[in-house]
Amino acid sequence: MSQITKIFGELTFSRAVMREKLSHNTYERLISTIHTGNPLDESIAEPVAHAMKEWAIAEGATHFTHWFQPQRGGTAEKHDAFITYSETGDIIERFSAKQLIQSEPDASSFPSGGMRSTFEARGYTAWDPTSPAFLLETGNAKTLVIPCVFLSWTGAVLDLKTPFLRSMRALNDAGIRLQRLLGNRLAKKIVVNCGPEQEYFVVSKKLYDTRQDLRICGRTLFGAAPAKGQQMEDHYFGAIHPKMIKFMVELDHELYRRGIPAKTRHNEVSPNQFEIAPLYEEANLAIDHNLQAMDVMRQVAMRHDLYITMHEKPFARVNGSGKHVNWSIGDNTGTNYLEPSASPLKNISFLLTLGALMLGVDKFGGLLRACVADAGNDHRLGASEAPPAIMSIYLGEYLTRLIDEIERMGKPTEQVMANINMGVRNLPRISKDYSDRNRTSPIAFTGNKFEFRAVGSSQNPSESVTLLNQLCTYGFFTIEKRLAAHKDKDIRESALLVLKDVFKETRRVRFEGNGYSEEWHKQAEKLGLPNAKNTPAALNAFLEPEAIELMEKTHVLNEREVCAKVEIKLENYVKTKEIEYKTAVNIAKTEILPAVVRQISAVASAAAAAKAAGATSKVLTAEVKKFDAMYSDIKSRFEALEAVLNKADDKENLHKKAVYLADAGEKALSMLRESVDQAEQLLAHEFWPMAKYQELLTVL
Ligand code: ADP
Ligand code: MG
């Protein structure tokens, strides 16, 4: 492995490359575009496109692609060669300003939730200059990749980056206004930082090939519990397997070349589960980098004969995988508003930011649950896994005490204000150990950031960051309005009076205890906190009038776009479930039943042989009957699942279909699984058609 600083970002059209390839004037204007977040100025698009092409070709690229984030998840790309005809009819390499700023992929195969009728099937992608172009290396192909937003010709949102960029704009306006009220004249632009911790499972490619369910669904649909799962608790932070170290070293190397600051690598709780976490970056970049990193992980794994699954629950009975999205907010001066400080006003800003987020979570907890809802993540949220589906905030003992004090506070005298300032200032930097004590909370304050842990490991973190931005914007709005009621007072005094109410009102979302516990679920219900068990139930939160109002007020999505989003999510859910159920039926029918037949036949011949040899063969005959019953049992259970699939098609709308698949479908699948898992434990090992958990979770 080379020295990190030597290779870092070598595949990106970085500032250093820009400085070298662009004129001083163009460079300065491009950098200022990046800082302001405005679209690229057309007059510099031509020289920028030219420089990008020259650089990419010199690096061996032949094609370029507009890279974007469709709503279905993942990323999408369409490659075009740099070639065109010259005036004399020869082939030349060219990349124009128009190709840089805008391209027209056929949008008709991307989910739009019915927003695009066929006559307007085309959408366009446009470069987001705040995210640098980079080279994609796959085998011997090199492609210039241009990170883009994706819109329909009518301007309707088709991707996940556009809403995110809009949420940043709304947060910027509200945040800067509040900072001005606090007397901050230096802040010019709100900055959100993000560091997503990515969990994943690794399986030996050879074993993976035997599992139709892993290949098609990314998760196992069957599998009896292994004798040794995670009960010894010996994997977490344990010594990393040499084969994994080799993989991780190469992975880090590839990430560094792409300018992705991978920082931490370690074993996770379950056997064969791991985590990678980067240094934090500005959210837009952090999101793009997380999506790239997931792709690079899959590619590097293939080179090591490993298969990676980012599925939220690839294996039953051991931990699932999440993506902990660390979120903090500050401004262009480098100040982090969630960082306690020596300045009393900054500490007021700290408390107000905290309060803003609490207001948001209190009001829109259901929405927060909805934005991470999908078929995969349902196995974590609402399935007695970490974290629960109830959205609460963990602040830690010290901060809780401080907030209780503010709630109880009488008039904010100088003395009271000084005490509270002292309290914030002395807020201990919460050590890893301390914040790790409560792993059951979906939203934890960890020293100078919030850690949102309900995000699914396979999900685009964009939707969560967008919503956290919106919740904070809502909180800032609310606080600003309330401050206006005290405008004759000193700002610190009025802020504390506002905070007193805010903390009182949002008390129900603060929870320090065990999020799995029965008592919390009961208490949360009494407190009126939403607790949607699955995706179809969770998605309703998007359609509540207040949610739509939030989307519209923050200019993130309009009502039509919200409805389209729900439609896309439901569609995704239904398709995932149908694929899982069909795969389960297919495996049971074409792999499991034939295995049972072989078992019956083996035992029946043994019984006949025993009888011929003069033994009673009673036990063996009973065994034949047992396996015969097992055959009928499995058959009737997959037929029941098939019946659910057929009946689902009769439902009058997508929501009803999703609800039915979630309820009846899950029940039928788990019944089938029960029989198949039992068969796995009773059939001869040599007859079992696929790798078992014991191997999948230990062999690499
Ligand atoms: P842990 O949460 O495991 O104790 P760290 O505090 O080092 O570990 O951070 C974990 C993740 O949080 C990392 O990906 C890191 O980039 C991110 N992170 C750290 N500080 C911030 C911050 N101020 N804003 C956003 N993300 C952050
Ligand atoms: Mg963490």
Side-chain angles (χ1 to χ4, degrees):
M1 170 124 192
S2 348
Q3 197 186 330
I4 297 172
T5 48
K6 289 225 171 84
I7 53 164
F8 196 80
E10 68 179 21
L11 292 178
T12 63
F13 191 64
S14 62
R15 299 252 165 139
V17 178
M18 288 180 197
R19 211 177 296 121
E20 187 193 318
K21 305 270 176 201
L22 297 170
S23 75
H24 180 71
N25 181 34
T26 309
Y27 174 77
E28 289 296 327
R29 281 168 64 192
L30 180 57
I31 296 298
S32 119
T33 303
I34 291 170
H35 279 309
T36 53
N38 290 333
L40 191 65
D41 178 348
E42 294 210 6
S43 64
I44 60 165
E46 198 61 58
V48 171
H50 180 75
M52 230 186 236
K53 180 203 75 179
E54 292 293 302
W55 168 76
I57 288 176
E59 295 290 326
T62 51
H63 289 62
F64 67 92
T65 178
H66 280 211
W67 183 76
F68 56 96
Q69 304 171 18
Q71 298 203 45
R72 60 154 155 76
T75 56
E77 44 191 82
K78 169 186 166 235
H79 297 200
D80 280 298
F82 282 120
I83 52 171
T84 186
Y85 288 115
S86 72
E87 279 165 20
T88 54
D90 299 316
I91 290 286
I92 54 165
E93 281 157 331
R94 194 175 140 66
F95 181 54
S96 68
K98 197 166 161 281
Q99 285 168 310
L100 170 64
I101 304 180
Q102 219 167 77
S103 157
E104 301 178 32
D106 181 359
S108 54
S109 13
F110 290 100
S112 70
M115 261 193 325
R116 237 174 318 97
S117 27
T118 27
F119 67 85
E120 48 164 350
R122 295 183 87 76
Y124 71 91
T125 52
W127 184 32
D128 159 25
T130 55
S131 188
F134 60 94
L135 290 171
L136 179 70
E137 275 186 334
T138 19
N140 57 0
K142 272 197 189 175
T143 307
L144 170 68
V145 181
I146 302 157
C148 285
V149 292
F150 181 33
L151 292 156
S152 83
W153 279 116
T154 56
V157 166
L158 295 175
D159 69 348
L160 295 177
K161 192 190 260 263
T162 310
F164 162 75
L165 292 173
R166 291 181 181 171
S167 76
M168 281 306 306
R169 226 166 289 153
L171 181 61
N172 187 64
D173 293 348
I176 292 292
R177 269 207 317 272
L178 186 61
Q179 288 300 316
R180 289 285 179 274
L181 285 177
L182 295 174
N184 180 353
R185 303 261 147 244
L186 295 173
K188 296 273 183 283
K189 186 184 155 198
I190 294 294
V191 173
V192 167
N193 282 316
C194 176
E197 301 166 59
Q198 176 73 50
E199 293 178 339
Y200 60 99
F201 273 89
V202 170
V203 176
S204 134
K205 178 75 170 55
K206 218 168 95 215
L207 300 178
Y208 160 80
D209 284 338
T210 69
R211 304 276 322 202
Q212 211 187 123
D213 46 6
L214 271 179
R215 290 200 320 268
I216 296 173
C217 313
R219 77 175 182 106
T220 56
L221 302 169
F222 302 115
K228 181 172 183 281
Q230 65 187 46
Q231 67 271 48
M232 301 291 281
E233 298 177 352
D234 52 357
H235 193 252
Y236 188 54
F237 276 21
I240 303 173
H241 191 290
K243 193 159 181 198
M244 273 312 282
I245 283 283
K246 263 170 86 182
F247 159 79
M248 286 170 167
V249 167
E250 192 176 323
L251 172 62
D252 282 348
H253 178 81
E254 290 299 336
L255 295 175
Y256 295 144
R257 295 180 69 215
R258 287 159 177 77
I260 301 174
K263 170 81 174 162
T264 321
R265 55 188 189 208
H266 63 81
N267 286 358
E268 257 302 326
V269 174
S270 161
N272 280 5
Q273 190 189 27
F274 305 89
E275 180 182 297
I276 181 167
L279 291 177
Y280 66 84
E281 300 177 277
E282 264 199 63
N284 191 26
L285 208 54
I287 294 165
D288 283 7
H289 278 167
N290 178 251
L291 295 170
Q292 269 188 64
M294 290 200 283
D295 273 344
V296 175
M297 285 163 82
R298 289 188 197 101
Q299 282 168 24
V300 174
M302 275 196 275
R303 299 207 283 263
H304 289 251
D305 281 323
L306 295 171
Y307 161 75
I308 278 199
T309 178
M310 246 79 75
H311 193 285
E312 285 74 16
K313 192 72 182 176
F315 303 101
R317 301 178 201 90
V318 291
N319 266 39
S321 293
K323 176 144 39 200
H324 294 180
V325 172
N326 291 274
W327 178 97
S328 68
I329 172 172
D331 60 45
N332 56 303
T333 65
T335 306
N336 174 358
Y337 300 155
L338 290 172
E339 180 98 48
S341 144
S343 137
L345 266 174
K346 278 192 178 165
N347 286 338
I348 287 291
S349 156
F350 167 83
L351 290 170
L352 288 174
T353 309
L354 212 61
L357 214 72
M358 284 159 73
L359 280 168
V361 174
D362 179 60
K363 177 120 174 154
F364 297 107
L367 206 50
L368 205 50
R369 163 71 178 94
C371 92
V372 291
D374 65 22
N377 217 12
D378 277 357
H379 297 284
R380 296 174 67 231
L381 313 171
S384 22
E385 273 251 358
I390 307 160
M391 294 295 136
S392 68
I393 301 183
Y394 173 77
L395 293 176
E397 205 181 304
Y398 189 92
L399 194 50
T400 299
R401 237 184 295 137
L402 193 68
I403 284 181
D404 286 345
E405 218 168 286
I406 296 174
E407 253 191 68
R408 281 194 310 265
M409 160 195 86
K411 210 177 136 22
T413 59
E414 275 301 325
Q415 186 56 45
V416 170
M417 285 193 276
N419 280 350
I420 288 167
N421 180 47
M422 208 48 163
V424 177
R425 205 174 142 171
N426 292 339
L427 197 72
R429 273 288 281 125
I430 299 171
S431 66
K432 177 162 185 59
D433 186 48
Y434 184 78
S435 59
D436 263 6
R437 252 185 249 157
N438 195 334
R439 307 291 292 173
T440 69
S441 175
I443 311 158
F445 179 72
T446 47
N448 61 355
K449 60 180 162 51
F450 276 99
E451 182 171 336
F452 185 36
R453 298 170 175 151
V455 186
S457 42
S458 69
Q459 292 174 343
N460 183 336
S462 183
E463 293 194 80
S464 312
V465 178
T466 302
L467 196 59
L468 289 171
N469 288 351
Q470 287 175 283
L471 298 196
C472 193
T473 304
Y474 163 79
F476 283 162
F477 274 149
T478 310
I479 286 170
E480 189 189 343
K481 252 190 278 164
R482 295 188 185 180
L483 282 175
H486 300 281
K487 60 177 176 302
D488 45 329
K489 297 193 188 75
D490 166 78
I491 183 70
R492 281 187 305 150
E493 199 184 329
S494 43
L496 279 179
L497 286 170
V498 168
L499 281 167
K500 184 180 156 120
D501 290 341
V502 167
F503 291 146
K504 224 184 256 167
E505 273 165 51
T506 59
R507 182 170 258 268
R508 62 174 189 161
V509 293
R510 280 196 271 141
F511 181 64
E512 303 286 304
N514 176 5
Y516 305 155
S517 68
E518 190 66 28
E519 302 91 81
W520 171 233
H521 283 248
K522 281 198 192 121
Q523 194 191 335
E525 194 180 338
K526 269 197 217 131
L527 293 169
L529 295 175
N531 183 10
K533 291 283 182 218
N534 56 34
T535 301
L539 291 178
N540 290 330
F542 275 113
L543 301 172
E544 307 247 332
E546 282 174 337
I548 292 177
E549 194 187 326
L550 175 75
M551 295 293 166
E552 295 203 320
K553 270 208 169 136
T554 49
H555 302 287
V556 167
L557 296 175
N558 60 33
E559 184 168 359
R560 187 160 168 247
E561 288 164 338
V562 174
C563 295
K565 185 187 189 71
V566 172
E567 190 85 358
I568 290 168
K569 283 181 181 289
L570 275 175
E571 224 171 75
N572 238 334
Y573 180 84
V574 164
K575 281 182 187 158
T576 307
K577 285 290 156 202
E578 285 180 335
I579 291 170
E580 285 183 357
Y581 299 158
K582 281 179 188 164
T583 306
V585 168
N586 193 38
I587 292 175
K589 206 186 272 187
T590 65
E591 294 187 40
I592 309 296
L593 283 193
V596 180
V597 167
R598 290 174 75 190
Q599 179 81 22
I600 293 172
S601 150
V603 182
S605 341
K611 203 166 175 190
T616 64
S617 82
K618 250 201 203 133
V619 182
L620 287 172
T621 313
E623 284 286 289
V624 175
K625 282 195 182 133
K626 184 178 89 189
F627 288 114
D628 182 60
M630 177 187 283
Y631 185 100
S632 323
D633 178 48
I634 293 174
K635 186 165 184 294
S636 68
R637 291 187 184 203
F638 75 64
E639 281 168 356
L641 187 53
E642 277 180 317
V644 170
L645 278 163
N646 288 332
K647 230 169 141 187
D649 284 333
D650 301 336
K651 299 289 162 195
E652 61 257 48
N653 63 41
L654 203 54
H655 186 258
K656 291 223 166 95
K657 188 171 179 180
V659 169
Y660 181 69
L661 287 171
D663 296 341
E666 278 312 285
K667 256 182 227 128
L669 176 61
S670 85
M671 295 281 287
L672 174 60
R673 177 172 190 150
E674 195 183 275
S675 298
V676 171
D677 289 358
Q678 216 168 31
E680 182 191 314
Q681 289 164 299
L682 294 174
L683 259 55
H685 187 70
E686 61 170 316
F687 296 154
W688 198 248
M690 54 192 162
K692 298 178 180 176
Y693 270 25
Q694 194 69 79
E695 305 161 89
L696 291 169
L697 287 170
T698 49
V699 179
L700 274 179

